[in-house]
């Protein structure tokens, strides 16, 4: 009964066997009817698979294949897309692109941070090196773009980290950096530009969200905006937001939830049903919640956020009122994930705190997976998690 209710409440969630882009379909909610609840360093691990190079992107999954990006070389000379078998962890293929823009590898500059995306025909990858390309699921490269050559070098102290989104027609790319910034739609079949929206010089690492009704929603550096997916026309804009440079927006019905590191800027924007109507209102603002690295999760009528010190917040989705706040084990760079009536907090240290998604702050499990590396992202498919470390993928089966 609970599983059926979860499925009804999450109509826009990622199909149970696929996790096609950043945060699944942009909301970090899984339709899987079973997900691991408990695991450890010795129990519940299906496989571990090493990767060439290093990366901070999340894995994406289409049926039996996992796709993940890395960069390789002391100057990030190579941008790599790898494909791994979901059942066994066996490496199936990888392709390397010559980086359009190199930079010294440090902990302070992004390394393959943008998450790739996949659909039934192709897999697409964007890198902070300026490379953008598409492949078949079997690894044949179909087209490649050099955004550095087309629109100028990426500048800034920490690199580019925005993941791509997909519409039926296009790959959506956001480049917000210290130089001329832009939002770009690239035809998925040909690699040609469909439209380009110029943006002011503005540094952010949040990602665009493509909605089912044809909007592209961007929360970045002081404002939240929506654009028409076909033309790039701006539909609405809310300014006066502070600290929303990393968390991406989450769309839930007529609400756009904005996450921010600043108190008072974690809020909900109520949007009109008609995409062509520009008026929006602020539905609520949280008085105490903050979100530093991860994006808001909306699940079963609640909004979940976590800040850099490892304090998690649960808010009422409609009012923004704090239902509970509680310190979990540590900071999370991966966004909270909802599925099977639970909320999963994947801490960067390797510990995962699992809580009931009923507003009670009930801790169901604390799974310790010690690692000297960081947990950057996760994909959730039926019965499994694929966790991404810098140079390794770990597939969790665990117990339900």
């Amino acid at each position: 009964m609970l599983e059926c209710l979860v499925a009804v409440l999450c109509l826009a969630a990622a199909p149970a066997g696929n996790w096609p882009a950043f945060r699944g379909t942009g909301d970090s909610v899984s339709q899987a009817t079973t997900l691991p609840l408990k695991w450890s360093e010795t129990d519940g691990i299906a496989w571990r698979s090493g990767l060439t190079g290093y990366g901070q992107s999340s894995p994406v999954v289409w049926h039996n294949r996992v796709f993940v990006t890395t960069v390789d070389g002391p100057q990030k000379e190579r941008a790599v897309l790898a494909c791994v078998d979901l059942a066994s962890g066996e490496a199936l293929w990888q392709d390397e692109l010559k980086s359009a823009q190199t930079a010294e590898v440090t902990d302070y500059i992004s390394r393959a941070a943008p998450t790739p995306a996949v659909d039934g025909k192709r897999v697409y990858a964007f890198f902070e090196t300026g490379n953008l390309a598409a492949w078949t699921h079997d690894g044949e490269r179909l087209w490649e773009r050099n955004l550095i050559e087309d629109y100028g070098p990426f500048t800034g102290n920490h690199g580019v980290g925005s993941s791509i989104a997909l519409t039926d027609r296009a790959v959506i790319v956001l480049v917000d950096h210290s130089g001329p910034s832009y939002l770009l739609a690239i035809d998925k079949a040909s690699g040609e530009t469909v439209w380009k929206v110029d943006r002011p010089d503005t540094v952010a690492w949040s990602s665009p969200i493509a909605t089912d009704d044809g909007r592209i929603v961007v929360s970045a550096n002081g404002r939240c905006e929506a654009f028409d997916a076909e033309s790039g026309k701006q539909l609405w804009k809310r300014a006066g937001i502070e600290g929303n440079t990393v968390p991406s927006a989450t769309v839930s019905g007529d609400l756009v939830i904005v996450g921010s590191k600043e108190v008072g800027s974690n809020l909900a924007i109520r949007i009109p049903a008609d995409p062509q109507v520009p008026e929006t209102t602020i539905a609520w603002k949280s008085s105490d919640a903050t979100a530093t690295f991860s994006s808001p999760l909306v699940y079963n009528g609640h909004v979940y956020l976590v800040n850099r010190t490892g304090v998690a917040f649960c808010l009422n989705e409609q009012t923004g009122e704090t239902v509970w706040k509680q310190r979990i084990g540590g900071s999370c760079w991966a966004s909270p994930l909802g599925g099977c009536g639970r909320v999963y907090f994947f801490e960067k240290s390797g510990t995962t705190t699992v809580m009931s998604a009923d507003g009670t702050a009930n801790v169901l499990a604390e799974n310790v997976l010690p690692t000297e590396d960081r947990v950057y992202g996760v994909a959730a498919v039926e019965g499994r998690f694929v966790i991404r470390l810098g140079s390794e993928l770990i597939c969790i089966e665990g117990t339900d």
Side-chain angles (χ1 to χ4, degrees), residues 120-163:
K121 294 182 178 180
R122 309 172 194 92
V123 56
Y124 314 86
F126 168 59
F127 298 84
E128 77 277 6
T129 60
N131 300 81
L132 172 69
W135 293 259
T136 67
H137 289 198
D138 292 326
E140 177 189 355
R141 196 186 311 168
L142 300 173
W143 54 259
E144 181 181 359
R145 290 285 298 270
N146 181 334
L147 300 189
I148 305 301
E149 186 177 272
D150 292 343
Y151 305 118
F154 297 162
T155 59
N157 294 329
H158 303 293
V160 170
S162 297
S163 299

Side-chain angles (χ1 to χ4, degrees), residues 3-33 35 61-62 118 209-212 250-253 297-300 336-342 379-382:
E3 292 170 355
C4 292
L5 178 60
V6 170
V8 170
L9 292 173
C10 304
L11 296 178
N18 298 332
W19 195 259
F22 179 58
R23 301 170 62 214
T25 52
D27 58 9
S28 295
V29 175
S30 172
Q31 281 188 356
T33 58
L35 287 172
V61 180
W62 195 267
V118 59
I209 303 299
T211 69
D212 292 337
T250 301
V251 180
S252 177
L297 166 69
V298 181
Y299 188 55
N300 285 7
L337 188 148
C340 293
R342 308 167 191 147
V381 294
E382 189 65 54

Side-chain angles (χ1 to χ4, degrees), residues 159-178:
V160 170
S162 297
S163 299
I164 55 178
L166 298 181
T167 68
D168 288 343
R169 181 185 181 187
V171 182
I172 307 299
V173 183
L174 176 66
V175 178
D176 274 355
H177 65 133
S178 297

Side-chain angles (χ1 to χ4, degrees), residues 28 209 314 330 351 379 387 390 399:
S28 295
I209 303 299
C314 173
T351 297
I387 296 175
T399 59

